[in-house]
Amino acid sequence: MESSAVAADLVDFLNASPTAFHAVDEAKKRLKSAGYVQIDEKQDWDLKAGNKYFFTRNYSTIVAFAIGKKYVAGNGFHIVGAHTDSPCLKLKPVTKVIKSGFLEVGVQTYGGGLWHTWFDRDLTVAGRMIIRNKKDSSESYLHKLVRIEEPIMRIPTLAIHLDRGVNDGFKVNTQTHLLPVLATSIKAELNKPASIDDATGNAAPNDRSKSSKRTPGGEQHHSLLLQLLAAQAGCEPGDICDFELQACDTQPSIIAGAMKEFVFSGRLDNLCMSFCSLKALIDATSPKNSLEDEVGVRMVALFDHEEVGSNSAQGAGSPVMFDALSRVTSTFGPDSKLIQKAIQKSFLVSADMAHALHPNYPDKHEENHQPKFHSGLVIKHNANQRYATNAITSFVFREIAAKHNIPLQDFVIRNDMPCGSTIGPILASGVGIRTVDVGAPQWSMHSIREMCAVDDVKHSYDHFKAFFQDFSQLDGKIAVDI
């Protein structure tokens, strides 16, 4: 029952988070409800021991932290890091495509998706828009999240009668095959309001005054798409200045399986770990005296752009993590050397989903390292540093599991297969922080529809919560580099 309750909360989080922007928005709501105060990176920080804070960057990365009442500058940070993005189809700067009498939407692939799974799904769009706000004689520009709930697009497969060899191997051409169909040209024209051309900048050649402002309409996007977005945002199509949108599956996340033991959903990689770490932080800092004896800072950092290498202003390869650690430390002590001391006392759990043993492909796993459902988080190891785990960091995570009777597993990739990576090595090398790479086991990673086990959601939450509560005391007993 406890496992189902945590998984049900995960499903709510997933259904509220079709994009990284929405995931940050949902995290923000949950943090505020738990008493966390939003701070601004553009302003000075006035922080106090015993209080809880968070900030966002680009509205796609969020960092939340709770400062122990016994914290002093130079003490460590106990961090769980994850990421908010998932492989998807993002709308191009110019999406207007017309082929054979059909309106299609130009998209580009983001990350390493299983693109064949995007065919024959009921799709919509979601993301953020920049909207022009006119008031009297002044203008301002608003950042607004948007999500069209109903399915408006589809990528249809070609009938087997026209591709007899498709079951022998279908290779997706991501430029020509992955164009979602929005509407037929005839229907779109018949249902277009008379004023839509002017609203999107398609003024007549002799009336340049109506197209003096640059909008994303006209030659850039179908007027029908802009109408749908404007209706959702409560504005006029001509007030949409720009947007960052992606195609999304409309099928909701659910708890499923004959025994209700699985979660079926998109974006489990990596919103499952984002949710578990966030809920663990909130619950580990909500009781009245939870920070009374804490000497460190408990933190969750959820980054954007992990799926494409983390090299952005809001990715794990940016200064976000170091900036957060440095600003908290300097608020409590002006000595610039204290941040170096704090980093050496800190610990990062890099949390990203892991590959569960697949019963139809058992040969894809090394014999002694076969993560299974219902068996807890997986510690990831790689001698070539594709994961940042070492003996010390894995020991810390194991000790916490043993103390609380939480199951734990190990994984290494086969020697004859390439190994993926995570934010772990990026932050370990960039910041210099001790790191262990872990993740809950799942199937269908990078598919539009993934799955994991209900029990492992609860195990992950329990493990992260125990880490926040126990790390300070355990770390004091570990002697290395002396």
Side-chain angles (χ1 to χ4, degrees):
M1 290 295 292
E2 288 182 14
S3 294
S4 296
V6 178
D9 199 12
L10 167 63
V11 166
D12 290 341
F13 183 85
L14 290 164
N15 285 326
S17 308
T19 73
F21 305 116
H22 289 83
V24 166
D25 192 62
E26 179 65 15
K28 179 178 173 180
K29 291 174 183 175
R30 290 170 178 248
L31 288 165
K32 282 189 170 182
S33 295
Y36 281 72
V37 176
Q38 184 168 6
I39 52 180
D40 189 344
E41 284 195 287
K42 297 186 290 292
Q43 306 294 330
D44 292 333
W45 289 0
D46 181 20
L47 309 177
K48 292 180 173 56
N51 288 3
K52 303 178 287 188
Y53 307 92
F54 75 91
F55 68 87
T56 66
R57 183 178 288 191
N58 189 53
Y59 218 84
S60 58
T61 288
I62 187 166
V63 178
F65 56 93
I67 306 171
K69 284 196 173 182
K70 294 184 178 180
Y71 171 80
V72 294
N75 283 3
F77 294 75
H78 321 144
I79 311 162
V80 180
H83 64 89
T84 58
D85 62 319
S86 302
C88 65
L89 299 177
K90 295 204 173 189
L91 273 62
K92 291 180 176 178
V94 178
T95 64
K96 189 174 184 179
V97 177
I98 302 176
K99 286 184 180 180
S100 305
F102 289 90
L103 306 187
E104 295 185 308
V105 179
V107 294
Q108 56 183 328
T109 56
Y110 175 85
L114 287 173
W115 303 123
H116 67 273
T117 65
W118 283 74
F119 286 78
D120 296 335
R121 303 292 302 188
D122 300 340
L123 304 176
T124 188
V125 294
R128 68 167 169 192
M129 301 196 302
I130 306 300
I131 299 173
R132 181 184 297 110
N133 182 42
K134 302 173 185 175
K135 189 174 183 180
D136 300 328
S137 59
S138 64
E139 283 186 346
S140 59
Y141 301 91
L142 305 177
H143 166 276
K144 188 164 187 175
L145 300 190
V146 63
R147 177 186 192 178
I148 298 175
E149 296 285 348
E150 65 270 16
I152 61 170
M153 307 187 303
R154 203 164 188 265
I155 306 172
T157 49
L158 186 64
I160 192 170
H161 313 77
L162 304 178
D163 187 5
R164 291 291 185 180
V166 67
N167 287 326
D168 297 326
F170 172 47
K171 182 173 176 58
V172 180
N173 184 311
T174 55
Q175 176 62 25
T176 59
H177 293 160
L178 277 178
L179 286 163
V181 176
L182 183 67
T184 57
S185 299
I186 293 175
K187 285 287 186 181
E189 189 65 28
L190 287 175
N191 288 278
K192 183 173 67 174
S195 61
I196 191 65
D197 283 343
D198 289 345
T200 59
N202 277 351
N206 61 349
D207 190 2
R208 299 295 182 190
S209 62
K210 291 183 179 179
S211 59
S212 59
K213 290 183 178 177
R214 183 182 182 276
T215 73
E219 296 303 311
Q220 293 176 273
H221 307 288
H222 295 299
S223 58
L224 174 59
L225 178 61
L226 293 176
Q227 283 178 260
L228 294 169
L229 292 169
Q232 182 66 32
C235 69
E236 294 298 322
D239 291 329
I240 301 173
C241 300
D242 212 336
F243 54 60
E244 195 171 346
L245 302 173
Q246 65 189 59
C248 305
D249 192 3
T250 56
Q251 186 175 0
S253 305
I254 57 171
I255 294 175
M259 300 300 296
K260 300 298 182 185
E261 61 182 307
F262 302 122
V263 177
F264 295 169
S265 173
R267 308 174 306 286
L268 288 173
D269 176 24
N270 192 35
L271 291 187
C272 180
M273 293 293 90
S274 294
F275 163 81
C276 290
S277 58
L278 183 73
K279 181 175 176 60
L281 177 68
I282 289 173
D283 291 353
T285 58
S286 290
K288 187 174 181 180
N289 298 320
S290 58
L291 297 172
E292 200 70 35
D293 296 320
E294 179 59 77
V295 299
V297 177
R298 301 173 182 177
M299 178 179 285
V300 161
L302 309 180
F303 298 96
D304 195 4
H305 293 148
E306 188 276 342
E307 296 292 356
V308 291
S310 297
N311 292 320
S312 69
Q314 54 273 8
S318 75
V320 173
M321 177 68 79
F322 181 81
D323 287 351
L325 272 56
S326 180
R327 292 190 71 169
V328 173
T329 302
S330 63
T331 299
F332 289 85
D335 188 346
S336 60
K337 295 179 181 178
L338 289 172
I339 182 59
Q340 300 161 8
K341 183 179 175 182
I343 289 171
Q344 296 308 309
K345 291 182 177 180
S346 297
F347 193 98
L348 169 69
V349 178
S350 167
D352 204 346
M353 299 294 277
H355 301 294
L357 176 68
H358 195 306
N360 298 342
Y361 306 89
D363 58 321
K364 294 296 183 180
H365 277 75
E366 207 269 341
E367 184 178 357
N368 294 321
H369 302 88
Q370 300 181 339
K372 296 177 176 62
F373 282 157
H374 314 303
S375 299
L377 281 167
V378 179
I379 298 182
K380 305 177 184 181
H381 307 260
N382 185 264
N384 297 303
Q385 295 301 297
R386 298 295 289 171
Y387 303 129
T389 305
N390 61 32
I392 300 298
T393 59
S394 63
F395 164 77
V396 169
F397 214 62
R398 289 183 204 284
E399 280 296 293
I400 291 169
K403 179 180 177 181
H404 294 269
N405 198 29
I406 300 170
L408 193 59
Q409 310 179 74
D410 289 283
F411 172 76
V412 295
I413 197 75
R414 287 172 55 109
N415 288 334
D416 55 1
M417 293 177 65
C419 184
S421 192
T422 68
I423 63 172
I426 294 171
L427 291 169
S429 60
V431 179
I433 187 171
R434 291 175 293 171
T435 302
V436 61
D437 264 298
V438 306
Q442 73 161 97
W443 286 337
S444 306
M445 188 178 288
H446 289 193
S447 169
I448 196 171
R449 195 77 175 167
E450 303 170 325
M451 64 184 291
C452 69
V454 165
D455 288 344
D456 291 323
V457 176
K458 178 65 162 54
H459 293 324
S460 301
Y461 159 73
D462 286 342
H463 210 144
F464 295 152
K465 184 179 177 182
F467 165 72
F468 285 128
Q469 294 171 329
D470 295 353
F471 176 76
S472 290
Q473 186 177 10
L474 175 60
D475 192 43
K477 301 176 181 178
I478 301 172
V480 182
D481 295 324
I482 57 172

